[in-house]
Structures are given as structure tokens and as C-alpha cells.
């Protein structure tokens, strides 16, 4: 991979707040134009939601879609695997161009083995938790990952409403991560808008995934990205 690609990753991880559109919400009939608009809107990563119809009640993209998006952008591709037993597919998604692979702790028979495998593939490691999964499920792996994805909706579809009880969960994880160096980041995903992002940031989140708030914004993609960015100005984790 080119040096600017790696610089992109480093730069991406070092910024305070990252804005990550979930391509699930995009107009897929014009994916090339959409990616260009996203780049021009100054987003940090692109999230690709992979769903298998078993772990979540929806089926979306596979490795070939990741490969296609990889061919049209150097932006980091944040692949969110909402699939049962993801070990079978880690290498194929890494080879397709994923910059990070996030697996669900609920879907991994041996999450530490999965984390090690992702590390060996040379991509960033994320572990996600669903709304009903307690923080205690994460304690053994917090120091092993680059990011924790706190789902703020039940995964499967864009356009759902932010679950307010997620805020205390984010706060708990933020406190636990404070002891870890380098500190993993907290990503939030689901119902993230200019209205909900600030409270998630105050609780300790620093990577914001959004589909509807960006792709369904009445004034277009750039305005959608700006709305979330502007909502975070001056917000600090408590
Ligand atoms: C839900 C996906 C989310 C979703 C976000 O299962 O993981 O990334 O696309 O959509 P919004 O931002 O519309 O809630």
C-alpha cells in the first residue's frame, strides 16, 4: 500500500474526532460519485457494513464490494462484520482491502483468537458490542484492540433511533480505557446525528459512524458531514 495510504491511517487515528459514513445508507447506483463526494466532504474513513442474515436480520455486502470500493479510494475502509463466526472471512476481507476489521463479541466463539488473527493480517482491530451486551463482556480484551464499537441501535438497518442508555455504557468503557496505553478509541454507530453525537462525545466516544444523518441530509452529503462535525466543536469527554 502507498505511503499516503498509511499516512491516511495514522492521520485518521490521531485526529480527536473521526467522522465515518456508513455506506449502507448511500445511493449504491452511483457509488463512485458518492465516494468522491465523501472525500470532498473531508470524512476520515468509510464504513462498510457486512451482514450475513444470521447474526443480524439483513444481508448486505461481501468482499467483492470492499474490493470495488478499495479500487476507487485511498481512504481507510472500516469493515464492520455483523456475521456469525467471522474467523472464516477475516483473510478474504483483509485481502479485499479492509483497513480495519470489527467483529462482534457476541458472534465470536473465541474472540481473543479472532483478535490475534486480525492482528496477524496487519489491519486495525475492532470489537463491537450490541446494546444488550454488558461492558463486563469486554474486560479481557480492552487492551488488545484498537477500537471498541458501541452499537447505539440493534444492528441490521440504517435509520433507527439512538438508544439513550448507550451513554452510560460509553462512559463505563471510557473509564476502563483510561488505564490502557495506547488507549483504544470508542466508536459509536446507530442513530448518530448532530443531535446525538455531542452526548456520545461527552460520554467518551471519538469515532462517529452515520448513514442517515449524512446520506439523507436535505442539503446533501457535505452538509450532513458538516452537521455532525459542527455539533462536536467544543465538546470534551467528561
Ligand atoms: C446498523 C449499521 C449502522 C447503520 C447506521 O446495523 O451498523 O452503521 O448503517 O445507520 P444510521 O446512521 O442511519 O443509524
Amino acid at each position: 500500500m502507498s505511503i499516503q495510504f498509511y499516512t491516511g491511517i495514522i492521520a485518521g487515528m490521531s485526529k480527536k474526532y473521526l467522522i465515518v459514513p456508513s455506506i449502507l445508507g448511500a445511493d449504491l447506483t452511483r457509488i463512485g460519485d458518492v465516494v468522491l463526494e465523501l472525500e470532498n466532504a473531508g470524512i476520515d474513513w468509510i464504513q462498510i457494513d457486512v451482514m450475513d442474515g444470521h447474526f443480524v436480520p439483513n444481508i448486505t455486502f461481501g468482499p467483492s464490494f470492499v474490493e470495488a470500493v478499495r479500487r476507487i479510494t485511498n481512504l481507510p475502509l472500516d469493515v464492520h462484520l455483523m456475521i456469525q463466526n467471522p474467523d472464516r472471512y477475516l483473510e478474504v476481507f483483509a485481502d479485499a482491502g479492509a483497513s480495519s476489521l470489527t467483529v462482534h463479541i457476541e458472534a465470536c466463539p473465541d474472540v481473543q483468537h479472532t483478535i490475534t488473527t486480525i492482528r496477524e493480517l496487519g489491519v486495525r482491530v475492532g470489537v463491537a458490542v450490541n446494546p444488550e451486551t454488558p461492558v463486563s463482556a469486554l474486560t479481557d480484551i480492552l487492551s488488545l484492540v484498537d477500537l471498541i464499537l458501541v452499537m447505539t441501535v440493534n444492528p441490521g438497518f440504517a435509520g433507527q433511533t439512538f438508544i439513550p442508555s448507550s451513554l452510560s455504557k460509553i462512559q463505563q468503557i471510557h473509564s476502563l480505557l483510561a488505564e490502557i496505553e495506547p488507549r483504544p478509541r470508542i466508536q459509536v454507530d446507530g442513530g448518530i446525528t448532530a443531535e446525538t453525537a455531542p452526548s456520545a462525545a461527552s460520554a467518551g466516544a471519538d469515532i462517529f459512524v452515520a448513514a442517515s444523518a449524512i446520506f439523507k441530509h436535505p442539503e446533501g452529503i457535505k452538509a450532513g458531514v458538516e452537521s455532525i462535525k459542527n455539533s462536536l466543536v467544543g465538546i470534551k469527554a467528561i
Side-chain angles (χ1 to χ4, degrees), residues 12-20 44-45 146-150 170 174 177 183-188 197-209 228 232 235 237:
M13 279 304 263
S14 60
K15 273 167 67 178
K16 181 166 178 50
Y17 292 139
L18 304 185
I19 309 295
V20 180
D44 297 289
W45 304 347
D146 298 304
L147 68 88
I148 294 289
L149 169 53
V150 178
I170 296 164
H174 184 252
L177 293 181
R183 191 180 72 78
R185 300 191 75 158
I186 300 177
Q187 185 177 44
V188 285
S199 46
S202 302
D206 49 17
I207 305 178
F208 301 85
V209 178
I228 299 175
L232 294 169
I235 303 288

Side-chain angles (χ1 to χ4, degrees), residues 36-66:
L36 205 55
E37 281 183 59
L38 290 172
E39 288 179 338
N40 295 336
I43 54 111
D44 297 289
W45 304 347
I46 292 177
Q47 186 180 81
I48 299 177
D49 284 314
V50 176
M51 301 182 191
D52 64 359
H54 295 281
F55 182 68
V56 291
N58 193 1
I59 298 177
T60 56
F61 311 114
S64 51
F65 181 75
V66 174

Side-chain angles (χ1 to χ4, degrees), residues 22-25 47 49 51 56 80 82 104 149 151 153-161 189-193 209-214 216:
S22 161
I23 208 88
L24 183 64
Q47 186 180 81
D49 284 314
M51 301 182 191
V56 291
H80 177 192
M82 286 163 275
H104 271 261
L149 169 53
M151 290 306 295
V153 295
N154 286 300
F157 299 93
Q160 300 180 75
T161 303
D189 182 1
I192 297 299
T193 67
V209 178
S212 307
I214 292 173
K216 300 275 187 289

